[in-house]
Amino acid sequence: MAVCYIVGAAAYCAPFAPSAGDLVIAADGGLSHLHARGITPDRIVGDFDSLGTTPQGENVLTYPVEKDDTDTGLAVRLAWEAGYREFRLLAGTGGRSDHTLANLQTLLWVARHGGHAVLCGEGECFTALQGGTVRFPATAEGTLSLFAQGGDAHGVTVTGAYYPLLNGTLSAEHALGVSNHFTGVPCTVSVAEGALLVYWTGTADEVTFDE
């Protein structure tokens, strides 16, 4: 399935190599990351307060500073309307914490609309599940943490991790799911009802999703 890569303005941008059919969007200051990698974006979106200058061209969509969404959120909705359902949000953690939190909310928006999105920082990733399963290979290493998002999450099952769980409930008020870790065997995380924010140390390429 084709992937939409959206590159933000945070200090670190994970390496990536788009394939034919993928969509690459620079969200404001993310254009600098793409220029540094010699990648020409298909779309450039934002109010360009981070970039400091307004680029020109037919692929540029300029928005006012006073708007009701982040530049990354606007880019996700633009790609959604174009038919993309798989997203990688790069350079979207670190820097301003409010923007990181906004990107985590965007993960939930994608999940609730039936898509899959991964938010990547330096050595760490997030995704949101609204039903369904995310799978990790036996080669996954490091930390795995789970957080109920937008209310309690029910029917949470974790297999292959150090702390397994069968049909459990995670509360939005208690960080019970923090600091699990991989064990060298395939690992799965699923939720039956509610939304789950999944954090892991690693890369976006490690995961696959089941409905």
Side-chain angles (χ1 to χ4, degrees), residues 90-113:
L90 310 178
T93 66
R96 284 177 51 179
S97 296
D98 57 344
H99 278 260
T100 299
L101 290 170
N103 289 337
L104 296 176
Q105 288 186 312
T106 298
L107 295 180
L108 181 57
W109 184 92
V110 172
R112 285 183 169 172
H113 285 76

Side-chain angles (χ1 to χ4, degrees), residues 1 27 30 35 41 57 84-85 87 108 132 152 161 167 187:
M1 181 178 291
H35 282 168
Y84 288 84
R85 297 297 181 265
F87 296 86
L108 181 57
D152 294 349
N167 198 33
C187 174

